[in-house]
Amino acid sequence: MNKRLMGTAVAICSSLFLQGAVAGEGKIKIGVLTDLSGPAADIGKGSVASAQIAVEEFGGKLLGKSVEVIFGDTGNKADIAAGVARQWIDVDKVDVLVDLGLTNTALAVLPIAADKNKIAIAVAPAGTAITNEACTPTSIHWMYDTYALAAGTSKVLIDKGLKDWYFVTTDYSFGHALEKDASEFINGNGGKMLGSVRHPFNVSDMSSFMLTAQASKAQVIALANSNNDTVNAIKAARDYGITPKQYIAPLVVYLSTVHGMGLDLAQGLYLTEGFYWDQDERARAFAQKFKVKTNAMPGSLPAGTYSAVLNYLKAVQAAGSDDTAAVLKQLRSAKIDDPVIRNGRIREDGRLVHDMYVFQVKAPAESKAPYDYYKTIGIVKGDDAFQPISKSRCPLLKKPG
């Protein structure tokens, strides 16, 4: 066995051993599979806490069974994620897999869950392939996707007259999908795509890529990346005087990202999210529970895991069973409305359609406390935010003729 494969095997075994997961009947097991050691580890740890909060709201029991949350690290690698998923389903008898990490790790897990007839709810991945070519009978895409992100932020900037765009894109499936969806939206709504440059995932120095984008003379430099890559790109834009001459449009910005870079750097950015902790009383009530557990406010992805687990448990309760088919039937027929999701419904392709929001990051003087970072610019209704079902490439859908 080569060193890389040996390291992968040790990572899987160590993760599972440390959790102390024990297979057994009489339990409902929820597996949160996420990034716990990479650039999105804070989000991943928040997702675990959020799943635990949802279970606690049910008193830790349902249908006479105890409800248990276990968690594992994807390592941001498809082979590790697939190995953990198989172990959980075959040995540890996990009933539902949630979060799923990056798009590439989710795409490795979905067919495994479908083959084993287990529900897989993708929260953190953004790639639209999850409800297109890679859709399965047992998968749901919960929080957001690259189409919804493009539909929000891109439209705001085009409406402001910023029509010439150049992309700085992370070179894997998520970045490719984000660039593709945003470009189609931009070109179809009066904008123009001038070109793009691609960079490795989680690269420390974004200078050369941002200077290439600067040379395009585009009005907008769109960042089709996330987390550290987004922060490093924005820092490089400031250091090289790219801003304010050209507008930097990060298409994926999380609350933890803004918190990490600070309002001095992030102020004025437009972003699209499915949730903000301070949007109303219901959101604030969940946020306070999250703060007690983590000493932070929840971003949209940990909040999405809370919503996914909460609605899974509601569906188990309503179905009177944790049988996969019965729970899926209940989920797909239910209105999804909770402290996180508004006006939600699950389509035939597994896409949870719900309202999305466009925010602008506050200036330091506007913020009254830590995590008081966003002001609402507008609401994008679900049917406008997500790819129309008529354009879906999900093979499960019945096509006319």
Side-chain angles (χ1 to χ4, degrees), residues 98-109:
V98 185
D99 188 316
L100 309 188
L102 299 176
T103 298
N104 67 315
T105 55
L107 293 176
V109 169

Side-chain angles (χ1 to χ4, degrees), residues 38-50:
D42 286 346
I43 293 173
K45 292 171 185 176
S47 285
V48 173
S50 293

Side-chain angles (χ1 to χ4, degrees), residues 56-219:
E56 288 163 6
E57 290 183 2
F58 275 80
K61 291 189 176 182
L62 189 58
L63 306 182
K65 299 181 179 182
S66 63
V67 183
E68 179 183 355
V69 174
I70 68 172
F71 50 90
D73 191 353
T74 66
N76 293 318
K77 296 184 182 297
D79 56 350
I80 294 178
V84 175
R86 289 193 184 95
Q87 167 78 18
W88 278 1
I89 294 170
D90 291 341
V91 179
D92 301 316
K93 308 306 179 186
V94 165
D95 296 285
V96 58
L97 289 83
V98 185
D99 188 316
L100 309 188
L102 299 176
T103 298
N104 67 315
T105 55
L107 293 176
V109 169
L110 295 182
I112 295 170
D115 183 60
K116 307 289 186 179
N117 194 35
K118 295 296 181 181
I119 298 171
I121 306 178
V123 177
T128 50
I130 291 169
T131 50
N132 282 298
E133 296 85 357
C135 74
T136 78
T138 63
S139 61
I140 302 171
H141 201 174
W142 201 263
M143 198 64 200
Y144 71 152
D145 61 28
T146 53
Y147 186 100
L149 297 175
T153 305
S154 302
K155 187 175 189 307
V156 167
L157 295 178
I158 290 172
D159 288 348
K160 288 180 173 292
L162 301 175
K163 297 188 176 182
D164 292 341
W165 292 61
Y166 189 91
F167 278 75
V168 177
T169 302
T170 186
D171 195 10
Y172 75 102
S173 54
F174 153 72
H176 302 169
L178 185 52
E179 179 186 316
K180 177 179 179 294
D181 289 332
S183 298
E184 289 178 359
F185 189 91
I186 290 160
N187 291 331
N189 285 271
K192 184 179 180 182
M193 168 78 164
L194 300 185
S196 67
V197 62
R198 292 181 173 176
H199 65 82
F201 171 65
N202 203 31
V203 64
S204 59
D205 186 358
M206 292 289 294
S207 301
S208 63
F209 308 107
M210 294 305 291
L211 289 172
T212 298
Q214 180 186 39
S216 73
K217 301 188 183 302
Q219 293 173 296

Side-chain angles (χ1 to χ4, degrees), residues 143 273-287 298-300 303 337-343 354-359 371-372 374-376 378-379:
M143 198 64 200
E273 292 256 46
F275 168 84
Y276 177 48
W277 71 268
D278 200 24
Q279 66 192 56
D280 58 29
E281 286 299 326
R282 296 170 71 195
R284 285 188 284 273
F286 159 66
S300 62
D337 187 84
D338 59 46
V340 176
I341 297 295
R342 302 291 185 273
N343 302 315
H354 61 96
D355 292 349
M356 297 287 289
Y357 305 87
V358 179
F359 300 110
Y371 298 99
D372 174 27
Y374 297 168
K375 48 190 176 185
T376 304
I379 299 174

